[in-house]
Amino acid sequence: MKLSEQGLKNKEQWEQAGYQLPQFDREAVTAATKENPFWIHFGAGNIFRAFQANVVQKLLDAGELDRGLIVAEGFDYEIVQKMNRPHDEYSILVTLKADGNVEKTVVGSVVESCILDSADASEYERLKEIFRRESLQMVSFTITEKGYSLADSKGAFLPAVQADFAAGPEKPVSYIGKVTSLLYARYQAGTKPVAMVSMDNCSHNGDKLFAAVSTFAEKWTENGTANKEFLSYIKDKEKVSFPWSMIDKITPRPDASVEAILKADGVEGLEPVITSKNTYVAPFVNAEECEYLVIEDAFPNGRPALEKGGLIFTERETVDKVEKMKVCTCLNPLHTALAVFGCLLGYHKISDEMKDSELKKLVETIGYQEGLPVVVNPGILDPKEFIGTVLRVRVPNPFMPDTPQRIATDTSQKLAIRFGETIKAYQASKELDVADLKLIPLVFAGWLRYLMAVDDEGNAFSLSPDPLLDSVCPHVAGFSLGRAAGAEQALKPVLENEKIFGVNLYEAGLAQKVCGYFEELAAGRGAVRAVLKKYLD
């Protein structure tokens, strides 16, 4: 059983092994898509393969669509060269359900893959051809928040971006430079309308994409390398829109246990590839069953009825409410709390933490009691139900191979939005009192204790990657288990850092509470468990 056009001709063999196969005429869909593409997606990673591609597959199977997807990869070309094309654009989606069932789907809705490389004339011309097509309605992205950045940490434009500003739209080398040059090709073909939809998991993602693209358009029109009206085209919402969106689906990297299931079925050639850019990619993706994609309904060239595939289209203000509900209260803060304490307590699977009575109560209390009172109900999703699904179905799913170590990555960049916004809402409220927050400050103290890189049994562990480790770790370097008294003097520069916590914890009246918790958490072996029992009983 080989994952390819030829290998899938033996449908009976695949179906007997429990695989759902594409139910549409792929040859006809491929021809129609290449002639009149409606959706091209940048970022050939796991979330796209598990979510957007599967939504389109379901709509093709139901006869709601007659064209599929084109995917483009602009960061790691080897994904296309070593995974997409050798498998004739097919992939396997393994949905790991909380009830123990495994759903296996061969996804064939992606019918063409492109490489965003301006140095490759044929690849780049094909992309320009797609962008010139009247039929193109949506250009979407999952390239991570970093993908939209044009500057370094000090605010200086990156060298490649600077060079592209000067050289113009002919052969840019930076990611957004290339995307903007493709938009310029669409502009030159008759100022055709299109929606540029960031689907990355970051706040107001459409604004980030617009800011990057419009900066290029501004520079090029200023120096005369692009037509002076190009910037007006980019800024005209009736021509080019940059909708906001909120995406939520957990897709950990392909897991060996899932690979073993597929191998036992007789599927060949499943070996993952680690590219020269250290991307881990396999012919299959594993994902949870829950998924949400809420998109601002701003499509100047129209769009198909993707809501029939479960996507939610609404106005910008509602997208913002849903995003804040998820990121600030109902999911992300709970994940971060589990990540921090999971590392300290020696857990290696996030689902196992929900069998821990203290950790379960920790996230239930943060979600329902401390966070929910400040959530604005977006109307289209109920916050209390959302938290319930997170805590009863999603996080406890024993078949999801997600780890607290992965989720602990970049925690210093997450605390401000995941907890700081709740603190600000308490400060602004006439009914709520910041002093009543007990467990959010405990998470802050837990993170500081985590930075000591010693678990609750006194064993050293490796900290997950984080851009601020070099600046925050020195503040806990003088502590060891049993030696953490008088912590405030050492921790003060961290606690008053608004960029980390979203607020100055001294001004919020929480600094002493955090310091007290930290001293208790570092009091000796077993102190983390003891503190959780103390404040959660």
Side-chain angles (χ1 to χ4, degrees), residues 449 452 454-455 458 475-485 518-525:
R449 168 67 181 81
M452 291 170 62
V454 177
D455 70 17
H475 294 284
V476 299
F479 303 122
S480 59
L481 296 190
R483 297 182 61 187
F518 174 78
E519 291 179 7
E520 289 187 70
L521 290 166
R525 291 184 181 180

Side-chain angles (χ1 to χ4, degrees), residues 420-435:
E421 292 304 308
T422 295
I423 295 171
K424 289 176 187 175
Y426 269 73
Q427 289 175 316
S429 172
K430 293 179 180 177
E431 292 80 30
L432 300 168
D433 187 348
V434 175

Side-chain angles (χ1 to χ4, degrees), residues 237-434:
K237 294 178 182 178
E238 299 299 313
K239 290 292 185 181
V240 185
S241 66
F242 294 85
W244 291 1
S245 73
M246 188 288 293
I247 191 167
D248 185 17
K249 186 177 180 73
I250 300 171
T251 53
R253 86 177 199 173
D255 191 74
S257 64
V258 176
E259 183 182 340
I261 293 171
L262 305 186
K263 277 186 176 177
D265 291 336
V267 183
E268 303 171 47
L270 289 168
E271 294 73 23
V273 170
I274 299 176
T275 70
S276 57
K277 289 195 172 182
N278 211 33
T279 304
Y280 188 100
V281 63
F284 66 93
V285 290
N286 37 242
E288 66 169 338
E289 58 194 292
C290 296
E291 57 188 25
Y292 305 88
L293 181 49
V294 182
I295 306 173
E296 178 188 352
D297 201 356
F299 289 78
N301 200 27
R303 61 169 179 81
L306 297 174
E307 60 270 24
K308 293 181 180 179
L311 305 193
I312 300 171
F313 293 89
T314 185
E315 66 279 355
R316 172 170 287 205
E317 293 75 16
T318 302
V319 176
D320 191 41
K321 290 175 185 175
V322 172
E323 194 261 340
K324 285 179 179 174
M325 178 195 81
K326 173 210 164 196
V327 174
C328 303
T329 308
C330 297
L331 172 63
N332 295 26
L334 312 184
H335 252 165
T336 292
L338 290 171
V340 167
F341 285 101
C343 291
L344 288 171
L345 295 174
Y347 283 101
H348 292 279
K349 206 171 179 184
I350 203 81
S351 57
D352 287 341
E353 294 188 61
M354 292 304 287
K355 300 171 189 172
D356 185 310
S357 58
E358 278 86 39
L359 294 181
K360 183 172 181 285
K361 191 170 182 182
L362 172 73
V363 290
E364 286 175 345
T365 307
I366 290 173
Y368 289 121
Q369 294 182 26
E370 296 194 349
L372 197 56
V374 300
V375 174
V376 176
N377 192 328
I380 58 172
L381 293 171
D382 180 78
K384 192 172 182 180
E385 286 181 14
F386 192 93
I387 294 176
T389 301
V390 167
L391 296 179
R392 292 193 301 269
V393 179
R394 302 179 69 185
V395 179
N397 185 339
F399 306 99
M400 282 298 294
D402 214 352
T403 69
Q405 291 74 23
R406 183 192 74 83
I407 297 169
T409 300
D410 297 341
T411 299
S412 72
Q413 309 298 293
K414 299 171 179 175
L415 295 172
I417 185 70
R418 297 187 179 191
F419 298 102
E421 292 304 308
T422 295
I423 295 171
K424 289 176 187 175
Y426 269 73
Q427 289 175 316
S429 172
K430 293 179 180 177
E431 292 80 30
L432 300 168
D433 187 348
V434 175

